[in-house]
Amino acid sequence: MLTKNIEKALNEQIKLEHESSQIYLSMASWAEERGFEGVASFMYAHSDEEREHMLKLFKFVNERGGHAVVSALTAPPVSFGSLKKMFKTLFDHEVMISKKINDLVDITLQEKDYATHNFLQWYVSEQIEEESLARNILDKINLIGDDKGGLYLFDNDVKMLTVNPPVN
Ligand code: FEO
């Protein structure tokens, strides 16, 4: 059984993962409109992945006797400046999410909820991978700079970068 405090914290994380999905969907649209098909396809997949993160938490809350809540979401930006700025936004967002997951883990320890603590370890590992992927992409973009040919090749390559397989 979840304490009210943990239930509330998990519902806040559900909202954040849902908003992550919306932000990445908006990035997909922005990239697609500019002809970056590879980046768009990567961002669509990333958006789906965030929805899976949200659903995994959602189901856990209900399985543990809580009530998973669908909240109103903050609308994401519609424009991201440049590919470099967009991936920097993505990286900063993932760093923020990692911090939120860590805060959540902290609360489970304070409340001695070891089941939720154990469940959250999947998210701790996932955030290491997400940050590392975002950092690698950002490094590549920084190397390319404004070179149009380089950006064209990057767009092709990024399609090959997979986000993780869907979670149950
Ligand atoms: Fe679900 Fe990208 O954090």
Side-chain angles (χ1 to χ4, degrees):
M1 191 75 189
L2 297 173
T3 64
K4 281 290 156 204
N5 206 16
I6 299 230
E7 182 182 354
K8 182 168 171 282
L10 288 171
N11 270 316
E12 279 164 12
Q13 192 64 33
I14 285 172
K15 180 171 186 270
L16 279 173
E17 299 288 345
H18 214 161
E19 284 176 343
S20 303
S21 177
Q22 302 283 81
I23 293 168
Y24 297 158
L25 188 61
S26 187
M27 287 178 176
S29 178
W30 180 84
E32 195 164 47
E33 194 194 344
R34 272 150 196 83
F36 293 115
E37 296 298 330
V39 171
S41 131
F42 175 80
M43 294 315 307
Y44 277 120
H46 208 154
S47 171
D48 285 347
E49 196 194 352
E50 297 299 348
R51 181 175 156 78
E52 293 289 338
H53 295 176
M54 182 275 288
L55 280 175
K56 192 178 165 87
L57 279 158
F58 200 90
K59 288 174 183 165
F60 178 81
V61 168
N62 283 346
E63 274 164 16
R64 297 279 300 150
H67 182 91
V69 175
V70 179
S71 308
L73 304 178
T74 308
V78 290
S79 187
F80 297 92
S82 65
L83 278 186
K84 185 174 165 176
K85 282 183 186 157
M86 190 196 85
F87 279 108
K88 176 72 168 71
T89 301
L90 185 153
F91 176 72
D92 290 344
H93 185 78
E94 288 301 335
V95 169
M96 181 276 286
I97 294 290
S98 297
K99 187 181 176 310
K100 297 287 184 186
I101 294 288
N102 287 345
D103 292 347
L104 207 42
V105 170
D106 246 12
I107 299 173
T108 62
L109 287 178
Q110 282 162 29
E111 307 235 343
K112 294 188 165 43
D113 180 346
Y114 300 116
T116 304
H117 182 269
N118 190 42
F119 167 78
L120 287 174
Q121 296 314 301
W122 183 88
Y123 286 85
V124 172
S125 309
E126 177 68 16
Q127 283 313 119
I128 295 172
E129 285 185 30
E130 295 231 352
E131 275 190 40
S132 147
L133 178 64
R135 194 178 292 113
N136 284 342
I137 293 177
L138 210 47
D139 285 349
K140 282 197 177 74
I141 291 250
N142 282 330
L143 277 175
I144 294 164
D146 293 326
D147 178 60
K148 284 216 160 55
L151 284 174
Y152 177 79
L153 291 175
F154 168 81
D155 183 55
N156 248 318
D157 284 354
V158 86
K159 265 188 290 211
M160 314 300 284
L161 292 174
T162 44
V163 269
N164 300 302
V167 293
N168 295 315

